[in-house]
């Protein structure tokens, strides 16, 4: 089989984007609305223009490149992913899907194809939640799942609100609602993503077509005690917030094991204040990310975690827990899975169906329009780490599937 997508052009986009990191030499760290993010968004906009797209930035900073349709009033097909990263992450998580969308536009241009319905390539903000917590923030703004008021509440590690960060980025938070797409205004959403797990590589397959994305919740626990002198406060008279927090944390992995059936739980971030080696901590916050394929299991695990936190209350400690994000398991469109399967067969790509253990913008977009998600292999199954890797030839095969599916769904014919 000879493919359509150009692996060298894909490589140039991915490698070019990877220069925009706050941690050169230590992976990709690209926080939403940072200077690196601005540079990456401008870089993407430049490639979109080269591909012949009409480019705009929406009210929350999503970069949108449009291929006009013969029938401009038809609801567009959206294709893309996110540009932000985890701390010290890899170059493919997010950008792979954006680049697949831009490469699709190049192919339309190179093959002289004009779609009947418009196609929009989207590069979204804040999927990971690295800066403001919660995750899937850009897609939730885009679908109207959250309103602009959330921009005032969410703060980064330095206490800067999302609204303040937007102003510094040149956006007006009061207008953030304008980014929301109305129900019925999007025909479909397609996302290519790296698998971030070992299955495709182990099986030697080109592609996974995702049928369901796991349910997930992100919680934040706050433990308050009393700061005091580390040398003079007897051990039985302390209200040590860190000791309380660690007591909770130590019980959590077992809760996920008890629920079983693929349930997982991670504490990935903890802050200890005031942070003096000779001061008993009075304030500890930590995050809990929990996931499971079945919604009942996600809900049961949340309840067990909340119970554990409530039980830790007392002995001079106060413990509270907030939900920052809840997304139920998301089945993706049967119709789009069927279309992807037919195109994969036509292209001669080896494929399988998969449940995604990672969250994706697709799970939010699925609330707005029929949505499809495909995976390409991840070397060694590693992701959210600098070692993340997918061969450009594999990315090109995935892009061929995105291109062929959009060509068919958009009614594209030579212009
Ligand atoms: C995104 O990478 C997530 O699954 O949290
Ligand atoms: Mn990720
Ligand atoms: Mn991602």
């Amino acid at each position: 089989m000879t493919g359509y997508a150009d692996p060298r052009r894909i490589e140039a986009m991915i490698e070019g984007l990877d220069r925009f990191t706050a941690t050169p030499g230590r992976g990709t760290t690209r926080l939403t609305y940072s200077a690196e993010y601005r540079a990456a968004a401008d870089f993407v906009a430049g490639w979109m223009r080269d591909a012949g797209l009409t480019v705009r930035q929406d009210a929350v900073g999503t970069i949108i490149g449009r291929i006009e349709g013969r029938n401009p009033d038809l609801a567009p097909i959206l294709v893309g992913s996110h540009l932000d990263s985890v701390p010290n992450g890899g170059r493919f998580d997010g950008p792979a899907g954006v680049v697949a969308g831009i490469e699709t536009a190049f192919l339309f241009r190179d093959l002289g194809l004009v779609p009947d319905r418009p196609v929009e390539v989207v590069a979204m903000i804040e999927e990971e939640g690295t800066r403001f917590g919660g995750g899937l923030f850009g897609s939730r703004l885009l679908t109207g799942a959250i309103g602009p008021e959330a921009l005032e509440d969410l703060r980064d590690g330095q206490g800067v609100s999302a609204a303040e960060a937007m102003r510094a980025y040149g956006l007006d938070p009061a207008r953030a609602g304008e980014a929301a797409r109305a129900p019925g205004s999007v025909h479909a959403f397609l996302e290519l993503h790296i698998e971030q797990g070992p299955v495709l590589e182990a099986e030697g397959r080109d592609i996974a077509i995702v049928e369901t994305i796991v349910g997930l919740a992100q919680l934040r626990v706050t433990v308050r005690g009393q700061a005091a002198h580390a040398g003079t406060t007897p051990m039985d008279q302390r209200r040590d917030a860190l000791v309380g927090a660690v007591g909770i944390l130590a019980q959590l992995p077992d809760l996920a094991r008890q629920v079983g059936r693929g349930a997982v739980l991670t504490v990935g971030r903890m802050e200890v204040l005031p942070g003096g080696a000779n001061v008993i901590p009075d304030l500890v916050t930590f995050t809990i990310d929990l996931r499971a394929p079945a919604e009942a299991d996600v809900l049961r695990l949340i309840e067990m975690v909340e119970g554990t936190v409530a039980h830790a209350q007392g002995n001079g400690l106060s413990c509270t827990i907030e939900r920052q994000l809840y997304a139920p398991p998301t089945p993706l469109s049967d119709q789009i899975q069927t279309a992807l399967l037919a195109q994969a067969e036509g292209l001669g790509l080896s494929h399988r169906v998969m449940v995604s253990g990672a969250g994706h913008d697709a799970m939010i977009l699925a609330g707005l329009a029929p949505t499809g998600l495909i995976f390409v292999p991840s070397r060694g199954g590693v992701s959210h780490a600098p070692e993340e890797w997918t061969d450009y030839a594999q990315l090109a095969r995935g892009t061929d599937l995105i291109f062929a599916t959009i060509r068919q769904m958009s009614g594209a014919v030579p212009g």
Side-chain angles (χ1 to χ4, degrees), residues 22-251:
T23 53
R26 289 181 294 121
T28 308
T29 304
R30 193 183 303 121
L31 267 55
T32 301
Y33 301 146
S34 63
E36 299 78 33
Y37 195 94
R38 176 79 271 164
D42 291 346
F43 179 84
V44 157
W47 276 93
M48 285 179 171
R49 282 190 200 97
D50 288 350
L53 297 170
T54 306
V55 182
R56 69 186 174 93
Q57 176 180 270
D58 79 1
V60 299
T62 308
I63 303 294
I64 302 168
R66 180 169 167 113
I67 309 178
E68 198 49 275
R70 286 179 202 279
N71 198 338
D73 296 332
L74 288 178
I77 296 170
L78 266 48
V79 55
S81 192
H82 60 98
L83 280 185
D84 65 311
S85 80
V86 295
N88 306 96
R91 68 192 66 184
F92 297 95
D93 179 359
V98 174
V99 165
I102 300 173
E103 179 63 13
T104 294
F106 273 112
L107 296 174
F108 268 72
R109 188 201 65 179
D110 294 349
L111 299 170
L113 293 170
V114 181
D116 190 36
R117 102 178 22 258
V119 177
E120 293 186 359
V121 184
V122 291
M124 287 178 273
I125 61 162
E126 194 68 1
E127 188 267 355
E128 304 284 6
T130 307
R131 179 152 188 196
F132 298 112
L136 300 163
F137 189 58
S139 42
R140 288 189 288 153
L141 287 163
L142 192 141
T143 58
I146 48 170
E149 59 289 347
L151 297 165
E152 301 291 343
D153 298 341
L154 290 176
R155 288 182 184 272
D156 69 9
Q158 271 66 52
V160 178
S161 72
E164 286 159 359
M166 277 180 87
R167 275 185 217 106
Y169 194 72
L171 296 166
D172 178 1
R175 301 184 61 176
E178 292 171 19
R181 306 281 182 125
S185 69
V186 172
H187 180 69
F189 175 65
L190 288 176
E191 181 172 8
L192 174 148
H193 206 280
I194 55 167
E195 180 200 334
Q196 309 182 278
V199 176
L200 287 175
E201 183 182 63
E203 295 181 353
R205 287 187 221 263
D206 297 318
I207 297 291
I209 297 170
V210 176
E211 55 177 354
T212 305
I213 303 176
V214 290
L216 65 90
Q218 285 180 358
L219 314 171
R220 197 160 74 122
V221 178
T222 303
V223 181
R224 287 174 205 278
Q226 173 62 54
H229 196 292
T232 58
T233 316
M235 290 311 288
D236 59 357
Q237 289 177 36
R238 294 175 176 225
R239 294 162 59 197
D240 184 329
L242 182 56
V243 170
V246 169
I248 297 171
L249 207 158
Q251 301 174 56

